[in-house]
């Protein structure tokens, strides 16, 4: 994994070195309607160093110095070829936080937020919708924390990273976590807001741009849901988006199968990869289908120990802290979190939750009409490989490409590290645009 991280860092440095001065004359941006409104909350210009600090620099690990040196050397080399590069470096990127309107699970309008990142000194030819992985609370959502994916702007992309409903500006709304229908709609609405922003600001966006949708883990399933949502929009909207390809990594596309695999793994003595997923999934079903679970009690699904940590209650109140959750539930078995005695005594209650999870299945009843790449680690201790198998079985046609990342469990025995490794492989490809 360390070697892969270094490779990804080198690719990032190479991408950054490509940010030379270009003709900044205004160009005709794509025609957009006024239906999708946006509101700028704040915007700022950042340097390459600041972008680094907000992305890989925040990791504060032993590779930081190597990454920084790679970026620094890349700019030195670029300045030799184009003396203007160094002088213009202080104005390399712009980050913009916007709000826009989308619809929740009841089709009620809700104000959502998103982060826009783009290079200032070069013409852009790509538009990217980047769906984030599992983030909880406000500390690490896109509008509060610029993640490594934002560095994709260095490749000449106009990027948007939406906060999901229940996070960011919609934090007063119940967290819907793996409600694929809602998040797919929210993300596509963010993409349309980005195109409106590009037109309003007369950005230096090539009229022949292509759009890409990418995401890993929860972001992988949201990206697949976004593809389905794009296909459900009218032809005029699809023509605006100009979707070229969707890249999904290690997503929980079949939520019911994911949950059932956790139970199977427990029965086979396997470690639970990410314990915090259990209350998140259950809570999202309670929030997505409140009338159907009205006779159930959320707390009944958790053990006394789990409730004593306060994590399930914090998830329910949408006021939790991710790091705190990971620490408290790290290394715990399923029966330490999920109340097995209750689910065995009330199988119909668990069956109802599983039925609701099945409604969010992305693997059936539709076919991709745009290029789609599915990547998954085998094994992935957090998002079971069965998700990949289900997606391939249900969606495969001539538009679908697949990639299996073989995981050496002798080296990566930790379920969480297995999951992270797949992400690094995907980031390498995306930053290098080898997909």
């Amino acid at each position: 994994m360390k070697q892969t991280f270094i490779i990804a860092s080198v690719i990032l440095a190479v991408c950054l070195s490509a940010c030379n001065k270009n003709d900044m004359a205004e160009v005709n941006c794509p025609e957009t309607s006024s239906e999708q409104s946006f509101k700028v909350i704040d915007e700022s210009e950042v340097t390459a160093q600041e972008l680094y600090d907000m992305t890989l620099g925040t990791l504060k690990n032993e590779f930081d110095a190597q990454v920084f040196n790679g970026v620094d050397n890349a700019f030195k080399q670029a300045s030799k070829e184009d003396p203007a590069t160094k002088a213009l470096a202080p104005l390399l990127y712009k980050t913009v936080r916007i709000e826009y309107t989308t619809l929740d699970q009841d089709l009620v309008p809700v104000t959502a937020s998103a982060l826009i990142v783009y290079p200032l000194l070069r013409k852009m030819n790509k538009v990217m919708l980047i769906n984030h992985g599992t983030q909880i609370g406000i500390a690490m959502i896109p509008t509060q924390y610029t993640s490594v994916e934002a560095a994709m702007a260095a490749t000449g992309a106009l990027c948007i990273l939406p906060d999901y409903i229940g996070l960011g500006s919609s934090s007063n709304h119940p967290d819907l976590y793996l409600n694929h229908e809602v998040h797919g709609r929210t993300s596509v609405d963010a993409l349309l807001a980005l195109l409106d922003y590009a037109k309003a600001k007369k950005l230096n966006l090539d009229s022949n741009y292509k759009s890409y949708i990418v995401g890993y883990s929860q972001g992988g399933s949201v990206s697949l849901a976004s593809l389905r949502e794009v296909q459900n929009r009218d032809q005029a909207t699809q023509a605006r988006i100009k979707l070229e390809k969707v890249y999904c990594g290690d997503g929980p596309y079949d939520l019911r199968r994911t949950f059932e695999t956790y139970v199977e793994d427990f029965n086979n003595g396997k470690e639970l990869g990410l314990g915090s997923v259990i209350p998140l999934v259950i809570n999202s079903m309670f929030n997505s289908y409140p009338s159907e679970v009205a006779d159930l009690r959320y707390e009944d699904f958790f053990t006394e120990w789990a409730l004593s940590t306060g994590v399930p209650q914090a998830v329910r109140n949408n006021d939790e802290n991710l790091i705190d959750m990971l620490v408290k539930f790290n290394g715990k078995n399923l029966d330490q979190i999920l109340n097995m005695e209750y689910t065995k005594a009330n199988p119909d209650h668990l069956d109802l939750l599983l039925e609701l999870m099945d409604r969010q299945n992305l693997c059936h009843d539709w076919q991709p009409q745009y290029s789609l790449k599915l990547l998954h680690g085998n094994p992935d201790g957090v998002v079971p490989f069965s998700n990949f198998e289900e997606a391939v079985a249900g969606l495969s046609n001539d538009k679908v490409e697949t990639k299996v990342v073989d995981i050496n469990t002798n080296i990566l025995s930790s379920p969480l590290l297995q999951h992270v490794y797949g992400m690094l492989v995907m980031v390498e490809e995306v930053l290098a645009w080898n997909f």
Side-chain angles (χ1 to χ4, degrees):
M1 184 181 72
K2 293 182 178 180
Q3 183 180 15
T4 304
F5 188 91
I6 295 173
I7 294 172
S9 303
V10 172
I11 293 173
L12 173 61
V14 172
C15 291
L16 287 172
S17 71
C19 299
N20 297 327
K21 182 181 179 183
N22 285 284
D23 182 8
M24 291 302 292
E26 292 181 1
V27 297
N28 292 324
C29 289
E31 289 299 322
T32 61
S33 68
S34 59
E35 295 178 0
Q36 185 63 47
S37 61
F38 67 89
K39 176 183 177 183
V40 173
I41 302 303
D42 63 71
E43 54 187 333
S44 60
E45 295 174 348
V46 297
T47 67
Q49 176 63 53
E50 290 169 326
L51 182 68
Y52 161 77
D53 288 340
M54 290 188 293
T55 56
L56 296 176
T58 59
L59 297 178
K60 301 300 180 188
N61 59 39
E62 61 190 279
F63 299 114
D64 276 4
Q66 297 180 44
V67 175
F68 176 75
N69 289 334
V71 173
D72 187 53
N73 290 335
F75 272 103
K76 288 179 180 177
Q77 180 62 35
S79 65
K80 291 179 182 178
E81 300 172 2
D82 181 358
T85 301
K86 192 170 185 179
L88 294 171
L91 299 177
L92 278 175
Y93 301 94
K94 177 160 281 191
T95 61
V96 186
R97 289 165 176 80
I98 67 167
E99 289 183 342
Y100 63 100
T101 301
T102 187
L103 302 175
D104 69 5
Q105 74 278 13
D106 296 319
L107 301 181
V108 174
V110 59
T111 298
S113 50
L115 175 71
I116 295 172
V117 184
Y118 62 93
L120 284 170
L121 303 178
R122 62 182 298 175
K123 190 172 184 177
M124 294 168 283
N125 58 11
K126 296 181 284 284
V127 173
M128 291 193 67
L129 168 59
I130 304 168
N131 292 308
H132 67 77
T134 298
Q135 305 292 0
I136 306 166
I138 65 170
M140 296 180 69
I141 60 175
T143 54
Q144 296 293 329
Y145 167 85
T146 307
S147 63
V148 66
E149 292 99 329
M152 294 174 191
T155 68
L158 171 61
C159 304
I160 189 161
L161 297 83
D163 300 328
Y164 302 145
I165 297 300
L167 303 173
S169 295
S170 62
S171 59
N172 290 331
H173 192 286
D175 181 23
L176 300 177
Y177 191 42
L178 290 176
N179 187 315
H180 296 141
E181 180 180 358
V182 171
H183 294 326
R185 180 168 58 237
T186 298
S187 291
V188 172
D189 284 342
L191 180 55
L192 294 173
L194 177 65
L195 296 177
D196 285 346
Y197 175 87
K199 182 183 180 183
K201 299 296 183 179
K202 299 181 180 179
L203 298 189
N204 196 18
L205 178 63
D206 193 297
S207 59
N208 294 318
Y209 73 91
K210 298 294 184 182
S211 293
Y212 299 85
I213 302 175
V214 300
Y216 189 85
S217 193
Q218 181 189 6
S221 61
V222 174
S223 293
L224 190 58
S226 299
L227 170 58
R228 186 176 65 177
E229 177 65 20
V230 168
Q231 294 181 184
N232 287 336
R233 300 292 175 107
D234 59 68
Q235 289 300 313
T237 300
Q238 293 186 46
R240 286 181 60 200
I241 292 173
K242 297 184 181 181
L243 184 59
E244 180 72 7
K245 193 163 190 175
V246 179
Y247 195 176
C248 307
D250 290 50
Y253 317 117
D254 185 339
L255 186 52
R256 176 176 185 150
R257 186 74 194 110
T258 298
F259 199 90
E260 290 176 336
T261 300
Y262 291 155
V263 177
E264 293 170 6
D265 286 349
F266 168 73
N267 292 332
N268 293 324
K270 293 183 180 180
E271 178 184 343
L272 182 64
L274 192 63
S276 54
V277 168
I278 304 304
L280 283 169
V281 170
I282 294 175
N283 181 58
S284 69
M285 294 302 102
F286 269 77
N287 288 340
S288 296
Y289 306 103
S291 62
E292 301 194 44
V293 298
D295 294 332
L296 304 186
R297 200 171 157 269
Y298 169 80
E299 290 78 10
D300 288 340
F301 287 90
F302 304 99
T303 64
E304 290 186 9
W305 175 85
L307 293 172
S308 72
T309 68
V311 171
Q313 300 93 319
V315 169
R316 191 79 181 122
N317 295 328
N318 200 22
D319 61 3
E320 66 289 332
N321 176 274
L322 175 63
I323 302 301
D324 187 44
M325 287 180 63
L326 289 176
V327 170
K328 289 182 178 179
F329 279 6
N330 184 44
K332 302 301 180 182
N333 292 325
L334 183 64
D335 64 339
Q336 294 177 280
I337 300 171
L338 183 66
N339 189 338
M340 298 291 199
E341 293 182 4
Y342 171 76
T343 58
K344 289 178 180 178
N346 301 275
D348 54 323
H349 292 184
L350 180 59
D351 286 343
L352 174 57
L353 283 189
L354 292 173
E355 177 190 333
L356 298 178
M357 293 178 198
D358 209 27
R359 296 184 191 180
Q360 295 299 327
N361 193 317
L362 291 168
C363 301
H364 305 288
D365 301 325
W366 69 288
Q367 284 289 302
Q369 298 169 9
Y370 295 89
S371 294
L372 168 66
K373 184 167 184 178
L374 297 170
L375 171 147
H376 216 102
N378 186 23
D380 181 331
V382 174
V383 180
F385 188 70
S386 56
N387 282 277
F388 175 81
E389 295 174 317
E390 289 287 319
V392 171
L395 303 177
S396 284
N397 60 22
D398 59 359
K399 298 290 186 181
V400 180
E401 177 187 357
T402 62
K403 178 171 183 174
V404 175
V405 179
D406 292 320
I407 305 293
N408 187 330
T409 55
N410 292 323
I411 298 175
L412 294 175
S413 58
S414 165
L416 187 56
L417 289 182
Q418 293 166 4
H419 189 61
V420 170
Y421 182 83
M423 177 188 70
L424 294 177
V425 172
M426 181 174 173
V427 167
E428 283 184 45
E429 290 196 10
V430 174
L431 285 179
W433 287 99
N434 289 329
F435 66 102

